[in-house]
Amino acid sequence: MPDRNTNLRSKVKGKGEDSSHRIIPPREDETNLHQLEAQHGILGIVLLLFCGTVSSYLCTHLPEALTTADLTRHPTAFIAERAWDNLQILNDFGPKPTGSQANELGAAEYIRRELEKIKATAHAAQLVETSHQTISGAYPIAFLGNPLTSVYRNAQNLVVRLAGQENNHGALMLNCHYDTVASSPGASDDGGSCAVMLEILRVLSRAPERNRHAIVFLFNGAEETPLQAAHGFVSHHRWAQEVRAFLNLESAGSGGKEQLFQAGPQHPWLVEAYGRAVRHPAAQTVSEEIFQSGLIPSDTDFRIFRDFGNVPGMDFAHTINGYRYHTRYDTIDYLTLPVLQRTGDNILALTRELANCDELNRAASDANLAEGYSVFFDVLGLFFVHYSASAGRILNVTIAVLSLVLPLMELSRAVRRVGERNIIQQTLVGLLGTVSGTAASLVVVLTIANRLDAAGRAMSWFSTPYLILGLYGCPVILVHCFAHRLCNHWFSDKKSALNLTQTVRSRLVGVNLFWTLLIIPLTLANIRSAYIFVVIQLLSLLSTIFTSVLGYQQRPRRWLALHLAFQIPTLLWATKFYHLLLKLFIPITGRMGAGINPEYLIGLLVACGGLLCISYLVPLVGLLKQTSELTARLTVFALIAFLLACCTQVGFPYRDESNAEPSVQRHYVTHTLQVAPSSVGNVVQNSGFLFREMDRNAARVIRGVAKPSEAVAMRQMETCRTMLFCGVPFYSIWHQIRFDNYWIDGPAPALEKDTLPTFELVAMKQQSATTRRYSFSITHRYQTCVQSALIIAPKPGAELVAWSLMETVPGTIEFNGQQAHFVLITYGLADDAPWTVTFDFAYDPKTLPQTTDEKLFDVSWVNTYWEYANKYTDDFRKLIEQFPDWAHVIPSVAVVNITAY
C-alpha cells in the first residue's frame, strides 16, 4: 500500500519547475496521528506527582526569621528571636492547665512582668495601660447540640491597652491563651501565639507615633476549660466595650502557616483589610465552612467573642503536625523560628492596618459594614483573592454557563452542523464517564476502607501519609480510567463526523457539564466553597478561549499541549486542597473516637481530591492506543502500598520520638472513686480505672494493658444500673457522650480529702406549696488543678426552674437513658471564702408529697484532678507504665459523689 505522504509529494511536483526540490509538510488534521503511544499516559501521572510536590512545598514554605542582629536594619519589624526567648520561658513552665501553680502563679506572673517591662520601655508618645483581671462568672453553651452551663471561679486575664489617637472611637483586640491542657507544655497551643503578641506589643509600643485606634492585648488564662476567661473579659472588663474587632491566635498543630479559617461573621471589610495588609496569605473559605460544620472536634475563643461580645473578628491557627497537638510533644523542640516570623509578620501588618482604618470606628454604628459574606482564598500562598458572596453567585453561574456554551460553539463551527448531534452525544458520554467514575470510585474507596478496618489495619497511613496515594489514590485513578474506557467502548460511533481529537474535546465539555451540575446547586444553597470547583472550570474555559484564539482547533498536538499547560495550574490548585485537608484530618483521626471508621473519612477525601485533580485528564485516555501500561503500573503501585500497609512495620500507625517525628496514640486514664448511697441507705464505694477510647485502634491497646477479661465497656458497667450517669467522672460532653470508654475495677486512689472542693447543703426552704429552694456551699481552698462537675437530675414530677448560677437554666443532656443538667466548674486562683449557690425546684404535690423529707433530685458531684502525680498509687503508676512508648497517656484522679436531696 503506497504511503499517502508520497502521493501528495508527487502531485505537488507536477505543478511547477521549482517544486521538485520543495517538500510541503502535511497539516496536522490531515495526518492519522490523533492517537498517542501508551507510555504517554504515564506522563500524566508524572505531571500530577510533580504538581503535587510543588504545591506541597508552597503550602509549607516559610520566610527566613529575623534575629536581634537585624534590629538596626529593621527597627520596626517583628523579630522572631525575641518572641522565641519569651516562648522558651513559657515552655519551661511545662503543662499549665487552669488552676495549676504553673499557670496561675508561674506563667501569669511571668507575662505580667514582661508587660511591665514593655510598659517601662515604651516610647514617650505611647500610652500603655495594664490590667490584671481576676474574674468569676457563668454562661450557657452547647457542644454537639448538648447544652451545658460553664462556670469559672477566679480565672485570670492579663490585659494591655495601647492607646490610640482617637481613644473614643473603638479598639482592636488581639487574643491568645497561655493555659494548656494537662500533660502538654503547649508551646504551639498557645504559647507561641502569646509570644507573638508580646513581640507585636513590644514593636508597637516603641513606635514614635500612636496608631489611630486603641489596641487591646488579651492574654487569657482559661481557654482549654473551655473558653471561660474570654467570657470573663467580654462580659466584665471595662475595655471590652471599646472592642470593635478582634484577631484570635490559636493552634491545632506545631508548625506551618497560620491559616485564617474564620472571619466575621459577615463584616466583609475585615477580609478586605486582610487582603490589603498580609504579605504571606493563607486563608480559605472552605476552612471556615468545614470548621463551622462541626466536623473538627475543637473550638476557639472566636465563639465567645462572636456570641457573647457581638464582635466580629478573624480566627487564625496553625494546623501542620497536628499529631503533637495536646500531647507532651507540643514543645519548643518541634517549633521553628520561621513559624513565629511568618505569623508575626502577618499579624503585625494586619494589626497596623486595622488599627488605622476608617471601618473600625464605624463598625458598631454603620449597619452596611456588617452586611454580606465574603468568598476568600489564597492562590498557593502567592496572592489573595476575595469578593462578596453575592458577586460569587453571579461569577459561579456565569463561568458555569460559559464553560458549556463557548466550547460547544467552538466545536460546532468546526463540523458545520453535520456533527453537532455527535458533539452533544459525546458531551453526554463525557458526563456519564465522569459521573460513573465518581460513583464507582466512592464505592471502591469505601470498600477498601471497610476491608482494611475489618482486617485490623485501620490508620496504617497515620504516620506514613504517602501510603494513602497507593491505598486510595491509585484505585481512584484506575476506576476513573476504566469508567471512561468503558464509556468509550460502549458509546463509540464509527460513523461520527468527529475525528478522535474532537471526540475527546466533546467529552471534556461533558466534564464541564458535570462541574456545572455541581456548582449551580451549591451556589443556590449558599455554599461559598463552590469557588474550589469554579476555579478549575475557569481554567478549562481559558483553555478553550486560547485554543480558539490561537487557531489550534485542527492541530491536535498543539491543542493537547495547550490543554496540558492549563492543567498545570489546575493540578497545583487541586493538590493544594489535597494537602490542606489531609494534613488537617489525618492527625484529627487520632482524637475523633472509635465510633466512626477513619478509613471512610480519608477514603472519601482522596476520592473527592482525586476527582478534582484528574477530571480533565482522564478523558485523554481516549487518545491512547492502549491503556494497559498505565493501568498495570497503577495496579503495581496500589499492590505495593497494600503490602506495606498490611504486612510491614511501615503500616504501623504510631511512632515515638526516636525518628524526630512523633505521632502518638492518645489515652485518657482516670483513677476513679465512686461514692453513693445504696438501696438500703448505706454508703457504698467502688473504685477502678476509666479509659477513654480516642481512636479506632485504642480498644486493642486498652484491652492489652487492662487484660481483656477485666475491661468492661462503660455502658455495660454495673454502676450504670445503680448510679446517676453510670457514676463515671463526667466532665466532657465530647468524651463521655460521643466516645466509647472502658472500665476495670481496681483499688481506690490515694486522696488528700482536704484538697477536694466541697459541695455541702447549708439550707433548704419551702418557698411555696410547689417550690423549694436548696442552698449549697462550694469551697476551693487549695491551689490545685481540679475541675468540678455538677450533674443535677430532677426526679419525676420535679423541675429545676431557677438557680443563682445565672439568669437562665439551660436544658438537660441525656446519658444512659437519664436526663440531667450539666454544670462544669473550673477554678483558677484558690479562694478561702465559700461560695453559696441556690437551686429552686418546682414540683407537683400530687406526684411528690409536700414534705421536706421528700427527695426532689439526684446530684453527682465530680472532682477531677489533672495534676496529682505525687499522689498516684503504685497500682496506677504500674498501669500507666504498661502503655507503650508510642502512646501519650493523660492520667487523672477523680472522685464521684452521688447524693439525693
Side-chain angles (χ1 to χ4, degrees):
M1 184 175 181
D3 181 66
R4 184 169 182 264
N5 291 341
T6 304
N7 292 342
L8 284 172
R9 284 195 297 271
S10 21
K11 289 178 183 178
V12 170
K13 285 181 182 179
K15 290 184 179 180
E17 182 176 308
D18 297 329
S19 61
S20 59
H21 302 289
R22 186 170 68 247
I23 297 175
I24 299 176
R27 290 175 55 188
E28 287 187 61
D29 59 323
E30 293 175 348
T31 67
N32 195 27
L33 297 176
H34 291 286
Q35 285 195 311
L36 302 175
E37 296 299 328
Q39 62 266 24
H40 286 86
I42 305 300
L43 296 179
I45 303 301
V46 173
L47 182 65
L48 174 61
L49 294 176
F50 171 76
C51 291
T53 302
V54 172
S55 65
S56 177
Y57 169 78
L58 292 174
C59 283
T60 55
H61 177 66
L62 299 172
E64 291 187 6
L66 298 180
T67 66
T68 52
D70 298 306
L71 268 172
T72 54
R73 292 183 293 113
H74 305 285
T76 62
F78 181 94
I79 304 297
E81 188 177 34
R82 293 193 299 195
W84 185 267
D85 293 339
N86 291 135
L87 178 58
Q88 181 71 66
I89 303 299
L90 291 173
N91 178 84
D92 290 346
F93 282 115
K96 301 173 284 295
T98 302
S100 66
Q101 293 190 23
N103 190 67
E104 307 304 328
L105 305 180
E109 178 60 22
Y110 171 73
I111 293 174
R112 189 192 65 77
R113 290 199 307 269
E114 286 298 300
L115 296 179
E116 292 300 323
K117 289 179 185 177
I118 293 173
K119 183 177 180 179
T121 58
H123 193 279
Q126 302 291 342
L127 173 61
V128 181
E129 302 173 86
T130 59
S131 171
H132 185 176
Q133 182 189 31
T134 302
I135 191 66
S136 300
Y139 60 96
I141 196 168
F143 291 99
L144 306 172
N146 296 285
L148 67 87
T149 300
S150 183
V151 178
Y152 50 95
R153 301 291 298 171
N154 298 324
Q156 295 189 87
N157 284 317
L158 298 162
V159 196
V160 183
R161 183 178 182 273
L162 191 62
Q165 297 174 10
E166 303 176 6
N167 278 331
N168 297 321
H169 293 84
L172 170 70
M173 181 178 70
L174 277 68
N175 174 70
C176 73
H177 66 91
Y178 58 86
D179 68 309
T180 73
V181 295
S183 303
S184 176
S188 178
D189 182 28
D190 194 29
S193 298
C194 290
V196 165
M197 278 177 46
L198 283 170
E199 176 62 9
I200 290 174
L201 174 60
R202 188 179 290 117
V203 171
L204 294 177
S205 68
R206 295 177 182 178
E209 185 178 353
R210 291 188 187 183
N211 293 291
R212 183 175 172 184
H213 304 291
I215 306 173
V216 175
F217 294 79
L218 172 59
F219 300 84
N220 86 64
E223 189 268 353
E224 301 287 2
T225 49
L227 317 179
Q228 293 172 326
H231 180 269
F233 174 80
V234 299
S235 58
H236 295 94
H237 202 284
R238 66 185 187 278
W239 292 338
Q241 304 303 316
E242 301 179 16
V243 175
R244 299 291 178 265
F246 68 88
L247 305 178
N248 185 51
L249 308 187
E250 261 291 356
S251 183
S254 62
K257 302 177 179 181
E258 80 296 336
Q259 294 281 338
L260 170 60
F261 67 98
Q262 288 192 100
Q266 301 192 11
H267 289 269
W269 62 274
L270 289 170
V271 174
E272 293 172 6
Y274 180 90
R276 292 193 301 268
V278 171
R279 290 188 295 164
H280 313 294
Q284 296 291 338
T285 300
V286 67
S287 299
E288 178 176 89
E289 293 192 329
I290 288 175
F291 187 84
Q292 293 179 356
S293 71
L295 286 175
I296 297 176
S298 297
D299 213 337
T300 74
D301 287 325
F302 181 98
R303 179 178 183 179
I304 299 298
F305 301 139
R306 178 195 65 197
D307 295 349
F308 294 93
N310 297 312
V311 181
M314 288 184 269
D315 215 354
F316 299 87
H318 300 94
T319 58
I320 301 297
N321 287 320
Y323 302 107
R324 301 162 196 160
Y325 170 73
H326 284 189
T327 73
R328 64 180 180 273
Y329 296 114
D330 186 8
T331 69
I332 200 168
D333 298 331
Y334 295 99
L335 272 176
T336 63
L337 280 169
V339 173
L340 299 183
Q341 186 67 52
R342 182 202 148 85
T343 303
D345 285 345
N346 284 344
I347 302 302
L348 176 58
L350 184 57
T351 299
R352 284 172 169 154
E353 175 67 30
L354 291 172
N356 293 283
C357 70
D358 293 329
E359 292 88 349
L360 195 66
N361 61 0
R362 295 191 288 117
S365 58
D366 190 345
N368 293 327
L369 285 177
E371 293 181 356
Y373 289 89
S374 295
V375 177
F376 56 88
F377 54 89
D378 70 280
V379 179
L380 299 171
L382 303 176
F383 57 92
F384 184 67
V385 178
H386 64 91
Y387 45 85
S388 68
S390 56
R393 287 191 287 271
I394 297 172
L395 186 65
N396 292 359
V397 174
T398 300
I399 292 176
V401 172
L402 288 178
S403 70
L404 294 177
V405 173
L406 290 185
L408 287 175
M409 289 175 58
E410 191 268 331
L411 283 167
S412 297
R413 283 202 305 267
V415 296
R416 298 180 182 177
R417 296 187 181 179
V418 295
E420 289 180 354
R421 181 178 179 183
N422 299 121
I423 293 173
I424 300 301
Q425 289 175 340
Q426 294 305 318
T427 295
L428 294 177
V429 170
L431 173 64
L432 178 62
T434 306
V435 171
S436 58
T438 301
S441 66
L442 292 175
V443 171
V444 167
V445 297
L446 292 177
T447 302
I448 293 172
N450 180 271
R451 292 299 86 202
L452 283 173
D453 184 58
R457 304 303 298 183
M459 299 175 63
S460 58
W461 33 259
F462 188 67
S463 296
T464 317
Y466 294 110
L467 285 177
I468 294 173
L469 295 175
L471 292 175
Y472 294 108
C474 287
V476 165
I477 297 174
L478 278 170
V479 168
H480 276 280
C481 288
F482 285 138
H484 278 271
R485 290 299 288 181
L486 286 174
C487 287
N488 181 64
H489 176 71
W490 289 337
F491 300 103
S492 60
D493 185 1
K494 295 181 179 179
K495 297 180 181 180
S496 174
L498 307 179
N499 61 34
L500 183 57
T501 303
Q502 291 167 337
T503 299
V504 171
R505 291 184 62 200
S506 298
R507 291 177 183 173
L508 288 170
V509 179
V511 179
N512 285 340
L513 178 57
F514 171 84
W515 289 119
T516 296
L517 294 175
L518 180 63
I519 289 169
I520 291 180
L522 291 177
T523 302
L524 294 176
N526 293 321
I527 297 178
R528 292 170 288 147
S529 297
Y531 73 91
I532 298 173
F533 315 122
V534 172
V535 169
I536 66 168
Q537 203 171 33
L538 173 62
L539 291 167
S540 174
L541 178 60
L542 292 175
S543 175
T544 298
I545 293 172
F546 274 85
T547 297
S548 180
V549 170
L550 297 174
Y552 288 172
Q553 299 93 328
Q554 302 299 327
R555 296 175 179 268
R557 291 185 183 277
R558 296 187 184 184
W559 162 78
L560 181 59
L562 183 65
H563 177 77
L564 291 177
F566 273 94
Q567 283 307 292
I568 293 175
T570 298
L571 290 173
L572 289 172
W573 173 257
T575 53
K576 171 191 172 70
F577 290 98
Y578 174 88
H579 295 304
L580 181 68
L581 294 177
L582 286 185
K583 288 179 186 295
L584 172 66
F585 279 106
I586 288 175
I588 283 177
T589 60
R591 54 187 176 93
M592 63 187 295
I596 300 175
N597 180 2
E599 297 288 335
Y600 289 145
L601 172 63
I602 300 302
L604 290 173
L605 286 175
V606 174
C608 295
L611 173 65
L612 200 65
C613 292
I614 65 174
S615 61
Y616 288 98
L617 288 178
V618 176
L620 300 182
V621 299
L623 296 174
L624 300 177
K625 292 178 179 178
Q626 291 182 344
T627 58
S628 55
E629 185 172 351
L630 173 63
T631 56
R633 294 197 182 188
L634 288 172
T635 302
V636 169
F637 293 151
L639 290 175
I640 291 173
F642 276 98
L643 288 173
L644 290 173
C646 298
C647 305
T648 71
Q649 189 65 18
V650 174
F652 184 74
Y654 312 104
R655 303 285 188 273
D656 58 23
E657 71 271 26
S658 59
N659 67 344
E661 293 289 337
S663 47
V664 295
Q665 186 182 59
R666 302 158 190 262
H667 291 275
Y668 285 79
V669 184
T670 305
H671 196 177
T672 306
L673 174 67
Q674 301 167 319
V675 181
S678 68
S679 58
V680 295
N682 299 325
V683 175
V684 297
Q685 293 189 359
N686 297 319
S687 58
F689 307 96
L690 186 71
F691 301 81
R692 289 162 180 78
E693 191 176 27
M694 295 295 290
D695 74 17
R696 192 69 168 182
N697 299 312
R700 213 176 310 160
V701 177
I702 291 171
R703 292 187 183 279
V705 169
K707 300 178 183 178
S709 60
E710 298 177 0
V712 177
M714 180 180 64
R715 288 170 176 78
Q716 297 175 10
M717 293 166 54
E718 179 65 28
T719 54
C720 282
R721 291 187 288 273
T722 60
M723 293 185 182
L724 177 63
F725 277 30
C726 296
V728 299
F730 200 107
Y731 75 92
S732 163
I733 287 177
W734 182 268
H735 285 170
Q736 270 76 27
I737 291 182
R738 289 289 297 272
F739 290 3
D740 292 325
N741 298 337
Y742 294 87
W743 173 271
I744 60 170
D745 291 327
L751 293 169
E752 290 186 345
K753 294 187 177 180
D754 290 341
T755 67
L756 275 171
T758 61
F759 180 76
E760 298 175 344
L761 179 67
V762 294
M764 180 178 63
K765 182 179 180 181
Q766 196 72 33
Q767 299 286 95
S768 68
T770 59
T771 307
R772 190 182 299 169
R773 171 169 292 178
Y774 295 82
S775 298
F776 292 89
S777 174
I778 299 177
T779 61
H780 174 245
R781 296 189 177 94
Y782 294 87
Q783 194 63 63
T784 54
C785 178
V786 59
Q787 267 186 310
S788 299
L790 269 174
I791 302 168
I792 305 168
K795 291 184 178 296
E799 179 185 3
L800 178 61
V801 293
W803 56 12
S804 61
L805 295 177
M806 56 186 186
E807 293 181 359
T808 61
V809 179
T812 59
I813 63 174
E814 181 179 349
F815 181 77
N816 191 40
Q818 299 167 318
Q819 298 281 342
H821 301 276
F822 179 53
V823 181
L824 179 66
I825 306 174
T826 303
Y827 308 99
L829 290 169
D831 188 1
D832 289 336
W835 168 43
T836 301
V837 295
T838 62
F839 303 92
D840 293 349
F841 284 85
Y843 59 96
D844 184 356
K846 297 178 181 178
T847 306
L848 292 170
Q850 189 177 345
T851 65
T852 56
D853 293 333
E854 185 62 40
K855 308 296 184 184
L856 298 185
F857 61 101
D858 294 309
V859 169
S860 179
W861 173 244
V862 182
N863 287 285
T864 303
Y865 289 94
W866 290 108
E867 288 194 332
Y868 212 61
N870 58 335
K871 297 294 186 297
Y872 292 161
T873 64
D874 290 339
D875 295 288
F876 194 25
R877 286 194 179 92
K878 290 177 182 177
L879 182 68
I880 295 171
E881 290 170 357
Q882 290 181 50
F883 282 90
D885 293 338
W886 41 260
H888 173 67
V889 181
I890 302 96
S892 57
V893 175
V895 182
V896 181
N897 283 278
I898 300 175
T899 312
Y901 293 96

